[in-house]
Amino acid sequence: MDLVVTGLGDVDADGFDFRDELGRRGYKYLPSASQYVLAAAKRALADAGEDALTAAEPERRGAAVGTNSAATALHHAMDRTVTGAGAGDLSPALAPYFSINLFGSRLATEHDLKGFNLTLTSPRIAGLEALQTGARALAAGRASRLLAGATEEALPEGEPGADTSEAGAVALLLEPAAAVAERGGRAYGRVGVRTFFLPPALAASDGGAGQAAEALRDALAALGHRPGTPLTVTAVLDASPVGEAVAHALDEGAERIPAGAGCLAPMARIAAALRTRPDHAHAVVTAAAEGNTAVCLVTPGGSGGAEASDR
């Protein structure tokens, strides 16, 4: 299926007020990460236009959300309550959110997304996996509209990675290109994702950068990029052996962005690449210390890369 991105929405936790974004009733007791993704999705749908989602029946709409730390602070608070006052003092409104899957559930309920509702949690690449897995589900015929995104909440003090916490959300709406053309809509471009695993021990070895370079070339080729054609690259990486191996595998001209503790920054870079609408392809590369690695090829406008979103 030839999918294009028609709606973009992002939310920064700084200065965020759910009452301004979502309304004063019905959202007060939702965890922050759920509020963030609801607001980002609302912005993406408004950006795409009134009929972009509703043109498809509820059974033909799906959602895929990536996160690494949406529930961490909440789990810490629950632990303190249980070990202190006791489980009877848990908030009935918040207790169900011990399950990470529920952070995207309100999104599906709010927008009548009955095709599927997926939550991805792989370190750092979860947002890109949401794009990849959601697009794959559309290609299999499970839906014809996809709300995909990432949401994070700040980590509690003392938690590993707290000093590089992320908080906010990014959401993208993807539709078949033919449907967009039929309704006279606007497309930002296409996105395609490939993921692979680079074992940390291999990454730290003398051949780590070479293995990373080969995997990156294979991923870009599978996404439709041809050697010698213009490509800019943004890499969201940490200083782990995996991050360093991937960094060394990239051309010197690649822009390197320090990775945060979650999966939000790579999705934000994809949204930025779509908004700027460059005249050539742009790749966003990210990797986690655990070895999870992903490449997203952003193809601008409504041309080229027809297969990219099906991968």
Side-chain angles (χ1 to χ4, degrees):
M1 182 181 290
D2 181 14
L3 297 177
V4 294
V5 177
T6 58
L8 298 173
D10 45 28
V11 165
D12 191 325
D14 289 340
F16 177 82
D17 189 327
F18 75 88
R19 293 164 296 188
D20 295 335
E21 296 284 346
L22 302 170
R24 294 184 173 272
R25 299 177 63 87
Y27 301 95
K28 179 178 180 179
Y29 296 107
L30 291 179
S32 296
S34 186
Q35 294 174 348
Y36 299 153
V37 74
L38 285 172
K42 183 177 179 181
R43 292 184 179 187
L45 292 175
D47 185 44
E50 185 177 352
D51 299 332
L53 182 67
T54 57
E57 294 297 318
E59 292 75 16
R60 301 289 295 162
R61 308 172 194 167
V65 176
T67 187
N68 294 156
S69 59
T72 306
L74 181 60
H75 287 170
H76 278 235
M78 286 180 172
D79 286 345
R80 289 194 299 270
T81 299
V82 171
T83 57
D89 276 16
L90 288 172
S91 163
L94 290 176
Y97 287 90
F98 78 90
S99 170
I100 196 68
N101 294 325
L102 264 68
F103 282 81
S105 293
R106 180 63 180 266
L107 182 67
T109 302
E110 191 129 320
H111 297 291
D112 225 4
L113 311 177
K114 296 182 178 179
F116 57 85
N117 180 23
L118 307 173
T119 302
L120 295 306
T121 59
S122 298
R124 191 151 297 132
I125 70 168
L128 274 67
E129 280 190 328
L131 284 171
Q132 180 187 39
T133 308
R136 187 176 292 157
L138 264 65
R142 293 185 60 188
S144 62
R145 300 292 188 277
L146 173 65
L147 262 175
T151 187
E152 299 290 12
E153 173 59 298
L155 290 165
E157 186 176 349
E159 183 76 9
D163 57 338
T164 58
S165 275
E166 297 178 307
V170 175
L172 281 65
L173 179 67
L174 291 86
E175 308 176 54
V180 179
E182 184 177 345
R183 67 181 176 83
R186 171 218 53 207
Y188 284 102
R190 294 173 170 82
V191 292
V193 175
R194 275 290 186 278
T195 58
F196 58 90
F197 188 76
L198 184 64
L202 175 60
S205 70
D206 291 341
Q211 290 292 323
E214 182 179 352
L216 289 170
R217 284 193 299 269
D218 289 347
L220 286 169
L223 292 170
H225 179 70
R226 299 293 172 256
T229 58
L231 178 71
T232 53
V233 178
T234 297
V236 183
L237 301 170
D238 58 22
S240 69
V242 175
E244 291 301 320
V246 173
H248 284 107
L250 298 171
D251 292 338
E252 290 185 2
E255 177 189 21
R256 180 167 177 177
I257 304 297
C263 69
L264 194 57
M267 285 292 285
R269 292 292 164 172
I270 292 169
L274 287 163
R275 280 198 178 99
T276 56
R277 303 189 185 191
D279 57 4
H280 58 270
H282 184 92
V284 175
V285 178
T286 193
E290 294 82 352
N292 309 74
T293 310
V295 182
C296 178
L297 184 67
V298 179
T299 306
S303 62
E307 294 85 19
S309 294
D310 295 345
R311 303 295 181 174

